[in-house]
Structure formats: structure tokens, C-alpha cells
Amino acid sequence: DAMVIQNPRYQVTQFGKPVTLSCSQTLNHNVMYWYQQKSSQAPKLLFHYYDKDFNNEADTPDNFQSRRPNTSFCFLDIRSPGLGDAAMYLCATSRPLAGGPVAETQYFGPGTRLLVL
Amino acid sequence: QKEVEQDPGPLSVPEGAIVSLNCTYSNSAFQYFMWYRQYSRKGPELLMYTYSSGNKEDGRFTAQVDKSSKYISLFIRDSQPSDSATYLCAMSFGGDKIIFGKGTRLHILP
């Protein structure tokens, strides 16, 4: 089945120790997103790629970086995790509607829960 | 005023009841409306997707959009304990981004 895969499902890191979360998709979608979701809150968009074009949200801290080496894979790098970065990190994909450069709905992976000690 | 408002709940209803979940929004330019279901510690799963106003039915689920009132609803008929989850409304102008509500926690009591 076509899907969005995130690894690992759970990640424990130490305060200040860099960590990388990965996402892969078999949907062949053009757009990939990274969200941060804290308990009882809406997912917060960090950034997204339209193909190789990177789009950063204005309020995303510099501590968060992303790479998309090819259509299928996207990585979230947290350079110096703080206690406030403990959250669920969600990867999502979408595709443009036929005939226009706009996205339809988004399809999510299972998420990676990050714990910062 | 927030762009998308959603009552966080929790909402508890007995098994078999009809559930009504709602969101209001402030921007009349939204064109695409979605409902996601999120089980604890899992990613959101797309349930329903509607373009512009009207109703859409899929099994026990019905989505309604009233653009004149800036109000969307999700109805669940014959609710089951497996429907217990957080339900997130989401909407889009048609671009790359969607705006989520905070989600309503739903408990179906056996």
C-alpha cells in the first residue's frame, strides 16, 4: 500500500544533542511537510517542500532544518534540541490538483515522538 | 479571532448515539474543508474532504459545509467505541497549506 513512513517512531535525545528524523513516501507526491504537534494542540507547520523548493514558516526556529534529497525522502534535523522541542513530529505529503499548482489534501505518517532529556 | 475555532471537548456520548462535531472559521476565502481523525500517539488520518458548500456522506460519516455561516460539521451515526479519538477540522484556500483546528476529543462509552 502507498503510504508515508516515519522512522523512528520514538526518539530519545539529550539536551543539545543533534537529532535527525526521517520520512519517506511511496505516494509519489510533490509536496512534503513537517509539522510539530504538542499535546492537545493543532499540528504546527514548520516547513514544506514543493518538489525541491523549500518553504520555511516565519516562526520556525533556526534550530530546525530540513533536507529533501529526492522525491521520496525528507529529513528533519534539530541541531540543538531543547526541552521545549519535545513533541510529536509529523510528516505529511500532498499532490497538486490537476491543472494547477495547488495542493489537495494532506496525508500523514504515524509520527515520531521526540523526548528530550 | 482565530482563523479556525474548534471546541476541544472532551465530548462523551453513549455507543450508538449520533455525534455532531463542529468548527467555525473567520476567512470566507477557504474553499477546501477536511476532517481528520487522530488516535492517541498516531498521525492524523483523513476522514472526509469537501470542496465548497454542501454535504458529503461516506458510510456512517457525513460532512456538512455552510459557507454562508462559516460553519462546518461532521456527523457520526451509530457511534462505536472505536470512534473514540481526536477529530481535527482543517481547511485550505487551495494552496499548499491547510489550517487546522485544535481538535475535539471524543469518547464513545460502551
Side-chain angles (χ1 to χ4, degrees), chain A residues 33 37 57 102 105-106 113, chain B residues 34 36 38 94 96-97:
Chain A
Y33 307 79
Q37 187 181 29
E57 293 301 295
V102 294
T105 189
Q106 295 180 17
R113 183 165 292 276
Chain B
M34 291 145 275
Y36 285 85
Q38 187 172 23
D96 293 342
K97 299 180 187 179

Side-chain angles (χ1 to χ4, degrees), chain B residues 5-19:
Chain B
E5 300 267 13
Q6 185 175 11
D7 186 335
L11 176 64
S12 297
V13 299
E15 183 176 356
I18 296 175
V19 175

Side-chain angles (χ1 to χ4, degrees), chain B residues 2-50:
Chain B
K2 293 183 180 177
E3 276 197 296
V4 179
E5 300 267 13
Q6 185 175 11
D7 186 335
L11 176 64
S12 297
V13 299
E15 183 176 356
I18 296 175
V19 175
S20 173
L21 303 167
N22 311 293
C23 285
T24 59
Y25 61 95
S26 57
N27 195 327
S28 58
F30 285 127
Q31 294 286 337
Y32 300 86
F33 302 90
M34 291 145 275
W35 285 95
Y36 285 85
R37 178 175 61 195
Q38 187 172 23
Y39 291 114
S40 180
R41 301 182 183 274
K42 299 287 179 65
E45 168 196 10
L46 178 67
L47 269 182
M48 300 287 286
Y49 164 73
T50 310

Side-chain angles (χ1 to χ4, degrees), chain B:
Chain B
Q1 184 183 10
K2 293 183 180 177
E3 276 197 296
V4 179
E5 300 267 13
Q6 185 175 11
D7 186 335
L11 176 64
S12 297
V13 299
E15 183 176 356
I18 296 175
V19 175
S20 173
L21 303 167
N22 311 293
C23 285
T24 59
Y25 61 95
S26 57
N27 195 327
S28 58
F30 285 127
Q31 294 286 337
Y32 300 86
F33 302 90
M34 291 145 275
W35 285 95
Y36 285 85
R37 178 175 61 195
Q38 187 172 23
Y39 291 114
S40 180
R41 301 182 183 274
K42 299 287 179 65
E45 168 196 10
L46 178 67
L47 269 182
M48 300 287 286
Y49 164 73
T50 310
Y51 171 68
S52 194
S53 281
N55 294 358
K56 188 172 185 178
E57 188 173 319
D58 184 1
R60 296 185 295 111
F61 298 90
T62 300
Q64 285 187 353
V65 175
D66 182 350
K67 292 191 74 178
S68 62
S69 302
K70 300 192 186 71
Y71 188 87
I72 68 171
S73 301
L74 177 71
F75 298 95
I76 308 174
R77 292 185 299 280
D78 188 24
S79 55
Q80 306 292 312
S82 59
D83 295 327
S84 298
T86 296
Y87 289 80
L88 298 153
C89 65
M91 44 201 78
S92 161
F93 305 114
D96 293 342
K97 299 180 187 179
I98 60 177
I99 310 299
F100 284 93
K102 283 192 171 183
T104 299
R105 289 175 57 199
L106 174 66
H107 298 292
I108 305 299
L109 305 171

